Each structure stands twice: as C-alpha cells, then as structure tokens.
Amino acid sequence: MTILSHKSVPGQRTPSSPDMESDAKERFMANVLLIGHQPDLYMHLSRLFADGGHSLKVVSSLEDGIRHCRASSCQLVVLEEGMDNALEGIPRLRSTQAAPQVVVVAERYNPERGKAALLSGALNYMPKGKAPRAITTLLERLPSFGGNGAEGPDLRDFGIFGSSAALRAQFETIARSSNADVNVLLQGETGTGKELFARAIHRMSQRRGGPLITVDCASLPEHLVESLLFGYSQGAFTGAAKSRVGLIRQADGGTLFLDEVSELPMSLQKKFLRVLQERRYRPVGGGSEESSDFRLVAATNKDLQEMVREGTFRDDLLYRISTMRVLLPPLRERGLDTIEIAEHLLQSRAESNGGKVWQMSAEFRARLLAHPWPGNVRELVNVIDCTLAVAGDGDMLFAEHLPATIHAGMLPQSSRPWQGRTPTRRSTDVGHHGMHDRAGKMAHGVANGAAPSHASHNPSQGPSHGRPHDTADEAAAYATHAGGAHPDALPSFREARREALEAFEHAYLATLYEAVGGDIRQACSLSNLSRARLYELLRKHAIME
C-alpha cells in the first residue's frame, strides 16, 4: 500500500504565527484522499491545500483507498476515473466507516459517465483541468454536504434498512433539506419504500407535530376524487346529507402525501395546481373558499416526463410537485441491502411471535442476492414470511425453504445432456454437467465459509489452466492472517461478508462465462438473469469488457 502524505514544501507559506494558527483552527480542515497514479494532479492539489490546512494523502489503487477509509478518518476522496472499476468503487468507498464524499476526476469529460458516477453516489464529476480549483472550492462547502456520513439521522429510526451508498445518498438529501418546506417528488419502482421515505420526510420536518395525510390516488374513484380531496357542503349532491372536510383540509399544518400521483385525473390536475400555488380551494358545492397550509410529498412509479409528452400529465403541475426529486433505487441495485433487510425481518418476526431467530445458510443468501426482485422490498417481505411459514423445525434456512417460484427460477433451464467432453476441448464444448460440477464445488466452498478465487477470465485465452484453489486452504489462510493482525486493521463483519459474497459472485460468473463459451443467451438461461443484468455483472467483475 503506497501512501504519500502532503508536507509543506519550500516556498510555500504555512500557518506559523499565532494569528494564522487561530485562523486555521476556525476553518474547516479536511482529510482528503487521492486515489490515482497521476503525480501532476497530486502536486496541483498539494500546492492549493498548503494554505488551507487540509491534509492530502495519495494511494495507487482502489483497494488501498478502501482500506484507508476503513482505518482512518477521511472526509473527501478524489477518485481518478481511469482507475480500474472506478465507478463501481464509489459505493464501496461511501459504505466504509469514514463514509467520505467522493469526487470523480476524468481525463476526458464524458457526460454519460458523469451521470453514472453521480447515480452511484459521487458528489461531483469534473474534468481534470478544472479539478484542483473546483475541489479547493468544494472543500469550503464540504460541511454543508454532510462530509462525515456517521452524522445525522439513522435510516433505521424511520424503518428503512440498508447501508448501500445509493440508498444513503437519497436519504442524506432529504435529511439535509429537512428544514426546507418544499414539495418533494419520490420516484421509484413499486415496493421500493416510497411511503417509508414520505414518513421520514414528515418526521424530520418542522411539520412533524402536524398530521400526515396519505392519499392513494390509484384507489380514488374518479367521480369521487374531487369531493374526497376538497370536501363538500351539505346538499352538494345526492347523498350529501351533511358537510364533510376534505383530505386537503385535514392536512392543514402537516404533510399531504399523494401516493401514485400519476393517477390524478386530468380533470382535477388544473384545480390541484391552483391549490399548490395559492393553498386555497373551494369545496364541492361550497360558496366560499377555504385555505390549508400543508407540505406536499408526491410519489410515483411512472415516468412523469413521458406522461407529459403523451399529454396525460400537466407539465406545469409536474414542475410544481417536483421542487425536489428523490430517486429510490430498486432492491436489485442495492447489493447486500437484501441480506440486511432479510436479517431484520427474521429478527422482527421472532420478536413478534416469541420464537427463535432463524439463520440463513450460504446458499439461501446466495439465492436472495441472485434474485432480481421485480417487486423490490415488498416482494422480499412476502418471500421471508412465506419461507418462515413452511420452514418447520430447525434453526437454519436453506434454499429449499424458499418459495418454489424463486427456488425453481435459480435452477438451470438448459436441458442439453452431458456430452462427455474432455477438459482439453475449447470452452464452447463445456457441457451442462461440467457447469454444474464446478458450480457445485464453488457453492460447497462458499457454504463452508471460503471465498472463491478472484482470478478473472479472458475469453480469448480459453479455459484457465492455473492451479485450482482449495477453498478450505484459503479459509484457513485468511483465519491465520486475521489472527495475527492488529484489531484496527480488520474489516467489519459486514465488510468481510460483502467481500466474500463478491468473491462468490465473481467466481460463479467466471465459471458460467467459461462454461457457455461466451454465449450470452445460454448464460442467461443457466443463471436466470436478464441479458441487461448479466452484461452489467460481467463488466463489473471485468469478465467481459
């Protein structure tokens, strides 16, 4: 691990007088880590940091940077885009104990790569030429961005479970804006937790003493939606025996949560727009206007921009409801959050039923991580409840306990028989049985606590003929190494588990790719992964560029 630490150099002014030292103490002084191999960027940053009191260290690899963030306090990471797996490393850096902000510096600016970096949890993306000055300016604002992820509200306090950078980035956005009384639009697939985020927004806001009124726009009958929202006066229509206060009025002093706002009828959208602009409305059949002081939080699983283009949603209403947008990531993009949520569900079910806490076997965890979860967290909750209902005796959950729809979906779909190919044939001749033989050995290794090899596979070179790794030996070697390490150098249990599961993922994909000879269609059939997801994983693990 190569680490260079900034020291003052000849010709540079350093805080030496008492007045200068006092000024330095009043300024925010950050620990900055540069991950890269371009000395010119390091020299530019070190010169600019000299007067600011900031410390600058540089490491030459992403893995060294992650280890540094685990063991040391670090507020900002400057990550060169040219590093191997740079964008994939952003969530890993953000999820370390230091939880630093990450800035990505590109040799050649690419807007699409920039978008991917920001969605992965980066604070900013900038070209190398502008980076030194921009980073120096950014350091002055860093405290306002929550430079230390350990500060602020805990997601678990609001019933939200997960540690992925994608989830935490969105939560930090609403936490930092808790005092801003602006309209918020939550966007995400069904089951991603939009209602939980709406409750969190309300509970963190200055309106938490008021009511939170939830309106499911998809369940409102179109002929009654106006009267339910605005209320109505006695005799306004047949059956209106007495006046009724609408949901908008009930939200006075609190938060109005419109779930599935995309289902709001066009006939009502213009009227609701006026309510948002003036906070005044007229009940159905009423003679005088009423007012309601509320904050709006809206949610949808649809693309409202596309609906605007189709003419089914008003563009002026979209702008009004989306002062702040929060994009909730699907469960399949949240990595080990699946396991964390499952563990919480098992614990809570045991507490509510007064029973034992079931443990998850390695293959059970692997099934959970491999499933695409089209229903997201809501589907995971149902799967865990179904699994516990049929688990019977024991205290360990195995893959066979999962619902048949998931367990069967993980089984290979190919029915091609074993052709008896020898190991000297090309990888395209590797049969179905060979795939299962290696996968079985690999699963056996993981189930016994060992991490598969990280060796990548180059399809142009055919099958790998290196010495096979003994998983038991690897596990013993790791235990021996860990036993002699200083406690501060050890990763957390969650980090170690994540690395082991990533190793399993890499080994499985490398074996799969070799077995099918690069045939993506067959790989999708065997793994039960979509083509897009498989491509994503193969690139992530550098198995296919």
Side-chain angles (χ1 to χ4, degrees):
M1 177 175 179
T2 303
I3 298 184
L4 299 177
S5 180
H6 167 72
K7 304 289 185 182
S8 59
V9 298
Q12 290 181 339
R13 182 169 57 88
T14 58
S16 56
S17 68
D19 290 341
M20 294 179 65
E21 291 178 0
S22 177
D23 292 342
K25 290 179 181 179
E26 293 177 359
R27 291 195 298 266
F28 172 71
M29 292 178 288
N31 295 322
V32 183
L33 175 68
L34 171 63
I35 303 178
H37 43 64
Q38 297 186 22
D40 55 337
L41 179 59
Y42 171 76
M43 291 304 298
H44 285 150
L45 290 175
S46 64
R47 291 193 188 100
L48 292 171
F49 286 1
D51 293 337
H54 308 295
S55 68
L56 176 64
K57 296 182 184 293
V58 59
V59 298
S60 56
S61 73
L62 178 62
E63 295 302 323
D64 286 346
I66 292 172
R67 280 192 286 269
H68 177 75
C69 290
R70 286 178 186 154
S72 306
S73 173
C74 179
Q75 286 77 40
L76 180 68
V77 171
V78 180
L79 176 63
E80 290 184 11
E81 187 187 33
M83 302 298 297
D84 291 340
N85 301 319
L87 298 188
E88 290 82 355
I90 296 172
R92 297 179 61 192
L93 289 163
R94 296 280 291 135
S95 62
T96 59
Q97 186 64 32
Q101 297 289 355
V102 179
V103 171
V104 179
V105 175
E107 183 74 29
R108 295 181 179 178
Y109 188 83
N110 184 317
E112 290 301 316
R113 297 275 293 176
K115 180 180 179 181
L118 296 181
L119 292 176
S120 297
L123 183 64
N124 210 332
Y125 176 89
M126 58 189 67
K128 179 181 173 183
K130 299 180 178 179
R133 291 290 179 184
I135 292 171
T136 305
T137 302
L138 184 64
L139 283 174
E140 299 174 0
R141 313 170 188 162
L142 197 60
S144 67
F145 296 123
N148 187 340
E151 298 176 356
D154 187 345
L155 282 80
R156 289 174 175 254
D157 294 340
F158 303 94
I160 302 171
F161 291 82
S163 304
S164 62
L167 184 71
R168 289 171 57 184
Q170 301 305 318
F171 187 79
E172 288 172 7
T173 297
I174 66 171
R176 291 197 303 268
S177 62
S178 59
N179 292 327
D181 206 23
V182 297
N183 298 330
V184 181
L185 176 62
L186 302 171
Q187 295 180 283
E189 297 177 5
T190 299
T192 50
K194 295 187 287 293
E195 186 169 354
L196 286 176
F197 263 75
R199 292 175 184 172
I201 291 171
H202 174 70
R203 288 176 54 190
M204 285 190 288
S205 74
Q206 296 176 333
R207 296 176 175 269
R208 53 185 171 272
L212 171 63
I213 303 300
T214 300
V215 182
D216 183 359
C217 297
S219 65
L220 292 176
E222 186 169 354
H223 64 287
L224 295 177
V225 61
E226 185 174 356
S227 60
L228 289 173
L229 285 176
F230 299 143
Y232 54 83
S233 300
Q234 182 177 1
F237 50 83
T238 303
K242 59 181 180 179
S243 299
R244 177 171 177 174
V245 176
L247 297 173
I248 291 176
R249 177 62 180 173
Q250 294 178 33
D252 185 32
T255 304
L256 178 66
F257 174 44
L258 291 187
D259 197 9
E260 302 304 339
V261 68
S262 58
E263 302 300 321
L264 203 62
M266 282 292 289
S267 59
L268 193 63
Q269 289 182 22
K270 183 176 182 179
K271 293 182 179 180
F272 190 70
L273 175 63
R274 180 174 178 270
V275 174
L276 291 179
Q277 291 172 332
E278 303 178 13
R279 291 300 193 266
R280 298 188 66 81
Y281 63 97
R282 191 184 304 275
V284 176
S288 59
E289 286 190 332
E290 296 182 2
S291 64
S292 179
D293 176 24
F294 63 89
R295 181 187 189 182
L296 177 72
V297 177
T300 182
N301 62 358
K302 295 184 178 179
D303 186 346
L304 294 184
Q305 292 282 9
E306 181 63 27
M307 293 184 66
V308 168
R309 288 190 287 269
E310 294 172 351
T312 56
F313 201 86
R314 294 179 62 98
D315 55 351
D316 48 5
L317 179 59
L318 173 58
Y319 300 143
R320 180 65 66 173
I321 67 176
S322 58
T323 306
M324 176 184 294
R325 296 195 187 195
V326 177
L327 305 176
L328 301 186
L331 186 57
R332 62 182 173 275
E333 296 178 4
R334 290 171 53 183
L336 288 179
D337 282 4
T338 303
I339 304 300
E340 185 173 336
I341 296 170
E343 289 175 339
H344 162 68
L345 291 171
L346 292 175
Q347 179 70 37
S348 64
R349 297 305 185 263
E351 292 175 355
S352 61
N353 298 329
K356 58 192 172 186
V357 179
W358 287 83
Q359 303 300 314
M360 294 180 286
S361 65
E363 59 266 33
F364 187 91
R365 293 170 182 264
R367 288 287 197 273
L368 294 185
L369 290 172
H371 187 61
W373 300 109
N376 293 291
V377 178
R378 188 174 298 152
E379 180 187 2
L380 176 59
V381 172
N382 291 335
V383 165
I384 293 297
D385 286 341
C386 177
T387 300
L388 293 178
V390 301
D393 296 330
D395 56 6
M396 182 70 69
L397 296 175
F398 298 99
E400 292 77 9
H401 287 129
L402 286 165
T405 51
I406 293 182
H407 184 47
M410 297 294 104
L411 297 177
Q413 302 299 310
S414 173
S415 58
R416 187 176 65 174
W418 167 244
Q419 301 295 326
R421 306 294 187 184
T422 64
T424 58
R425 297 293 185 97
R426 289 173 53 86
S427 60
T428 52
D429 293 331
V430 178
H432 191 140
H433 188 277
M435 171 66 188
H436 274 264
D437 182 54
R438 281 187 298 274
K441 292 177 181 178
M442 182 169 54
H444 174 75
V446 174
N448 284 279
S453 167
H454 278 277
S456 62
H457 169 67
N458 186 342
S460 64
Q461 297 175 354
S464 172
H465 298 290
R467 184 181 65 84
H469 291 273
D470 187 323
T471 54
D473 288 347
E474 288 180 351
Y478 178 80
T480 301
H481 173 74
H486 190 277
D488 292 341
L490 290 175
S492 66
F493 175 78
R494 183 176 297 168
E495 287 286 332
R497 181 177 61 188
R498 179 189 56 74
E499 291 180 357
L501 288 171
E502 282 194 357
F504 171 83
E505 189 178 90
H506 179 97
Y508 175 84
L509 291 167
T511 303
L512 173 69
Y513 195 79
E514 177 184 340
V516 301
D519 186 336
I520 296 298
R521 178 177 297 181
Q522 186 182 2
C524 290
S525 177
L526 285 169
S527 65
N528 199 39
L529 294 172
S530 68
R531 182 179 291 264
R533 179 60 174 159
L534 181 60
Y535 274 126
E536 178 186 355
L537 290 171
L538 291 173
R539 292 191 182 100
K540 170 186 174 182
H541 292 280
I543 296 171
M544 183 184 74
E545 298 298 331

